[in-house]
Amino acid sequence: MDSCRIPANASKCSGNTMECFMVLSTQAQKISIGILCGLFGTMCVFENSLVLYLIFSSPSTRKKPSYLFIGSLALADILASIIFACSFVNFHVFNKAGFSKEVFLLQLGGVNTSFSASLSSLLLTALDRYISISRPSEYKLLMTRRRAWTALAVLWGTCATIAYLPLLGWNCCVLDSACSELFPFVDDNYLSGWICFTMVLLGCIVYAYAHVLWRARQHVAYMEKHQAQVGKQNSRMRMDVMLAKTLAMVLAVLILCWSPVLVLMIYSIFGRLSQRLRKVFAFCSTLCLLNSVVNPIIYALRSKELFSSLRRLFSHFRRQLKASEGSPEAESTHKSSVIET
């Protein structure tokens, strides 16, 4: 494996430098991480797969740009949970480090692409709500399906390009620069750039939602004042207000789950992390999976269309289950009647 400069607190490690980043020292810590990744990862894949099915199985939802962006968020969360959980458990629990620098950076790029795409999908959703509430009369002209798909293509392409820069050469081995204390082979300057990119996305989302929620409050006041004028416009306002509040909840969960990781990343750039803080970072990383688990639950509870589709799906399965349970009884009844005859 290529030799490269490693953090001062890892210089005492001998042999494979990747072993310096395996910070879980006890069996209890490894079991805890394994359980958290297995539980959150499984729930995330199941829930977000269900969200994708509900969106694209219904003609009314798969044609709307709002749900295309939510579908992109669900897809990003699925990919993030699979790549992150598998690579994280393999590295920290089973201590598998017998792969090359390129393979590790390929896995890291997949995780960064997925999580960045998840955050960027939230930004597109926030902008969609911003346009819908700020310029409702022009919304259908401004936010078409073609523009939505184009925005998603640009989003995923940009996130993948930024995430795979270390694999393309921006790493501390090629540049002979200072490596990150948290990630093998990752250059400190690249980590700083990725953090800035993430903070810009969060800032844009917060700004968009601040405006959306301000306008939503105005719409609520308008509806309370004009209760007699109930019609399509009022119905559209209620939908916008509901979806705005839903996505604000998603944003709040996102910040709560990601802030510990980002704070420790920023601290690692300006100071030295102790072994205990590096263990804390490993456990805080699982909060990113928890965020992906919570998002579809919020959709199911807050989105009227998705909740209705979910109820219809459960009703369909319930009818099928009753039919399958009733068929043997019907067959035995038929046989007994033949015998009696």
Side-chain angles (χ1 to χ4, degrees):
M1 180 178 295
D2 298 336
S3 60
C4 59
R5 192 177 305 169
I6 57 178
N9 61 351
S11 59
K12 61 183 179 181
C13 298
S14 59
N16 192 345
T17 57
M18 293 186 69
E19 294 177 358
C20 306
F21 296 87
M22 298 175 181
V23 295
L24 303 182
S25 55
T26 66
Q27 196 68 20
Q29 293 173 354
K30 294 181 180 181
I31 293 175
S32 300
I33 286 290
I35 292 175
L36 289 175
C37 288
L39 179 62
F40 292 160
T42 303
M43 292 177 63
C44 179
V45 170
F46 172 76
E47 292 174 358
N48 285 286
S49 298
L50 183 60
V51 169
L52 283 177
Y53 174 79
L54 294 176
I55 290 175
F56 289 100
S57 63
S58 172
S60 61
T61 54
R62 67 168 175 258
K63 294 180 180 179
K64 295 180 179 180
S66 302
Y67 288 102
L68 289 179
F69 298 147
I70 292 176
S72 173
L73 176 62
L75 177 61
D77 285 339
I78 290 174
L79 294 177
S81 63
I82 294 175
I83 301 173
F84 176 84
C86 293
S87 59
F88 201 75
V89 170
N90 192 47
F91 186 82
H92 284 290
V93 177
F94 298 107
N95 300 136
K96 298 289 183 63
F99 43 81
S100 64
K101 175 190 70 177
E102 289 74 18
V103 172
F104 178 84
L105 293 178
L106 182 66
Q107 293 178 351
L108 184 63
V111 173
N112 286 345
T113 299
S114 303
F115 280 129
S116 298
S118 176
L119 189 59
S120 300
S121 297
L122 274 178
L123 175 58
L124 287 183
T125 310
L127 294 176
D128 174 75
R129 289 300 90 199
Y130 179 91
I131 296 173
S132 176
I133 289 184
S134 299
R135 306 170 72 175
S137 59
E138 304 174 29
Y139 173 76
K140 290 186 178 180
L141 295 175
L142 295 174
M143 190 59 67
T144 61
R145 290 189 66 199
R146 183 176 180 178
R147 289 182 178 179
W149 282 111
T150 302
L152 288 175
V154 172
L155 177 157
W156 282 87
T158 302
C159 291
T161 301
I162 295 175
Y164 283 105
L165 285 176
L167 182 62
L168 298 176
W170 192 354
N171 59 74
C172 55
C173 298
V174 173
L175 300 177
D176 193 27
S177 56
C179 293
S180 168
E181 292 186 84
L182 297 173
F183 306 101
F185 314 121
V186 173
D187 179 71
D188 262 343
N189 292 328
Y190 169 79
L191 183 61
S192 301
W194 188 85
I195 293 173
C196 290
F197 172 68
T198 303
M199 297 300 289
V200 168
L201 287 178
L202 283 173
C204 292
I205 294 173
V206 170
Y207 174 81
Y209 274 121
H211 183 83
V212 167
L213 294 178
W214 174 65
R215 293 300 297 267
R217 290 189 62 183
Q218 288 185 328
H219 284 181
V220 170
Y222 175 85
M223 286 186 290
E224 290 177 351
K225 188 177 180 180
H226 301 83
Q227 285 295 328
Q229 302 176 3
V230 178
K232 290 185 177 180
Q233 186 178 6
N234 249 359
S235 176
R236 179 58 184 269
M237 286 181 179
R238 289 192 182 94
M239 184 186 71
D240 288 340
V241 170
M242 178 65 72
L243 195 51
K245 291 180 179 179
T246 298
L247 297 174
M249 292 172 61
V250 173
L251 177 62
V253 172
L254 179 77
I255 294 176
L256 289 175
C257 291
W258 273 87
S259 55
V261 172
L262 290 175
V263 167
L264 288 173
M265 283 184 182
I266 295 172
Y267 182 79
S268 71
I269 295 173
F270 297 101
R272 291 291 180 182
L273 291 176
S274 64
Q275 191 73 0
R276 183 177 180 181
L277 283 178
R278 295 171 71 194
K279 290 181 181 179
V280 171
F281 178 80
F283 279 92
C284 287
S285 298
T286 60
L287 291 176
C288 301
L289 276 181
L290 178 61
N291 169 69
S292 300
V293 172
V294 173
N295 283 345
I297 295 177
I298 297 176
Y299 304 148
L301 293 178
R302 301 286 298 180
S303 174
K304 185 177 180 180
E305 290 179 279
L306 290 184
F307 186 71
S308 299
S309 299
L310 184 62
R311 289 182 60 183
R312 287 195 298 269
L313 182 63
F314 283 156
S315 299
H316 175 71
F317 281 131
R318 192 180 299 114
R319 287 194 300 268
Q320 284 190 333
L321 183 61
K322 289 182 178 180
S324 62
E325 289 178 350
S327 57
E329 297 177 1
E331 185 178 353
S332 62
T333 304
H334 175 70
K335 288 182 179 180
S336 62
S337 62
V338 171
I339 294 174
E340 291 176 359
T341 304

